[in-house]
mmCIF file of all heavy atoms in Angstrom:
data_model
loop_
_atom_site.group_PDB
_atom_site.id
_atom_site.type_symbol
_atom_site.label_atom_id
_atom_site.label_comp_id
_atom_site.label_asym_id
_atom_site.label_seq_id
_atom_site.Cartn_x
_atom_site.Cartn_y
_atom_site.Cartn_z
ATOM 1 N N GLU A 593 -41.651 0.450 25.614
ATOM 2 C CA GLU A 593 -40.214 0.497 25.867
ATOM 3 C C GLU A 593 -39.419 0.683 24.579
ATOM 4 O O GLU A 593 -38.415 1.394 24.543
ATOM 5 C CB GLU A 593 -39.739 -0.780 26.581
ATOM 6 C CG GLU A 593 -40.259 -0.927 27.990
ATOM 7 C CD GLU A 593 -41.639 -1.566 28.041
ATOM 8 O OE1 GLU A 593 -42.131 -2.035 26.989
ATOM 9 O OE2 GLU A 593 -42.243 -1.570 29.122
ATOM 10 N N PHE A 610 -21.928 1.421 17.549
ATOM 11 C CA PHE A 610 -21.574 0.022 17.772
ATOM 12 C C PHE A 610 -21.826 -0.804 16.518
ATOM 13 O O PHE A 610 -21.027 -1.672 16.171
ATOM 14 C CB PHE A 610 -22.362 -0.554 18.952
ATOM 15 C CG PHE A 610 -22.044 -1.993 19.215
ATOM 16 C CD1 PHE A 610 -20.880 -2.353 19.875
ATOM 17 C CD2 PHE A 610 -22.893 -2.997 18.784
ATOM 18 C CE1 PHE A 610 -20.571 -3.686 20.112
ATOM 19 C CE2 PHE A 610 -22.603 -4.334 19.007
ATOM 20 C CZ PHE A 610 -21.436 -4.670 19.672
ATOM 21 N N TYR A 625 -6.978 -11.802 4.875
ATOM 22 C CA TYR A 625 -6.053 -12.588 4.051
ATOM 23 C C TYR A 625 -5.875 -11.954 2.674
ATOM 24 O O TYR A 625 -4.768 -11.888 2.150
ATOM 25 C CB TYR A 625 -6.541 -14.033 3.909
ATOM 26 C CG TYR A 625 -5.632 -14.858 3.035
ATOM 27 C CD1 TYR A 625 -4.363 -15.213 3.471
ATOM 28 C CD2 TYR A 625 -6.021 -15.252 1.765
ATOM 29 C CE1 TYR A 625 -3.507 -15.954 2.671
ATOM 30 C CE2 TYR A 625 -5.183 -15.997 0.959
ATOM 31 C CZ TYR A 625 -3.923 -16.343 1.417
ATOM 32 O OH TYR A 625 -3.073 -17.068 0.627
ATOM 33 N N LEU A 650 -10.114 -7.134 23.140
ATOM 34 C CA LEU A 650 -10.644 -7.523 24.453
ATOM 35 C C LEU A 650 -9.980 -6.736 25.579
ATOM 36 O O LEU A 650 -10.645 -6.266 26.508
ATOM 37 C CB LEU A 650 -10.452 -9.020 24.676
ATOM 38 C CG LEU A 650 -11.333 -9.941 23.840
ATOM 39 C CD1 LEU A 650 -10.905 -11.391 24.026
ATOM 40 C CD2 LEU A 650 -12.786 -9.765 24.217
ATOM 41 N N ILE A 665 -17.252 9.363 30.813
ATOM 42 C CA ILE A 665 -16.915 10.131 29.610
ATOM 43 C C ILE A 665 -17.170 9.266 28.376
ATOM 44 O O ILE A 665 -16.280 8.949 27.615
ATOM 45 C CB ILE A 665 -15.454 10.634 29.652
ATOM 46 C CG1 ILE A 665 -14.493 9.478 29.944
ATOM 47 C CG2 ILE A 665 -15.280 11.748 30.646
ATOM 48 C CD1 ILE A 665 -13.038 9.839 29.783
ATOM 49 N N PHE A 674 -12.584 5.999 17.974
ATOM 50 C CA PHE A 674 -12.721 5.988 16.524
ATOM 51 C C PHE A 674 -11.567 6.719 15.854
ATOM 52 O O PHE A 674 -11.073 6.297 14.804
ATOM 53 C CB PHE A 674 -14.059 6.596 16.089
ATOM 54 C CG PHE A 674 -15.192 5.615 16.096
ATOM 55 C CD1 PHE A 674 -16.265 5.784 16.954
ATOM 56 C CD2 PHE A 674 -15.187 4.528 15.255
ATOM 57 C CE1 PHE A 674 -17.317 4.887 16.969
ATOM 58 C CE2 PHE A 674 -16.226 3.613 15.261
ATOM 59 C CZ PHE A 674 -17.290 3.791 16.116
ATOM 60 N N HIS A 690 6.471 -6.117 1.894
ATOM 61 C CA HIS A 690 7.143 -7.412 2.047
ATOM 62 C C HIS A 690 8.148 -7.400 3.201
ATOM 63 O O HIS A 690 8.796 -6.392 3.473
ATOM 64 C CB HIS A 690 7.889 -7.780 0.754
ATOM 65 C CG HIS A 690 6.967 -8.081 -0.383
ATOM 66 N ND1 HIS A 690 6.299 -9.272 -0.488
ATOM 67 C CD2 HIS A 690 6.580 -7.339 -1.450
ATOM 68 C CE1 HIS A 690 5.552 -9.265 -1.578
ATOM 69 N NE2 HIS A 690 5.708 -8.099 -2.187
ATOM 70 N N ASP A 691 8.269 -8.536 3.864
ATOM 71 C CA ASP A 691 9.273 -8.773 4.915
ATOM 72 C C ASP A 691 9.238 -7.720 6.019
ATOM 73 O O ASP A 691 10.260 -7.206 6.452
ATOM 74 C CB ASP A 691 10.678 -8.841 4.302
ATOM 75 C CG ASP A 691 10.804 -9.978 3.321
ATOM 76 O OD1 ASP A 691 10.172 -11.033 3.564
ATOM 77 O OD2 ASP A 691 11.518 -9.817 2.314
#
Side-chain angles (χ1 to χ4, degrees):
E593 292 85 8
F610 180 78
Y625 178 70
L650 289 172
I665 52 171
F674 275 116
H690 292 283
D691 298 325

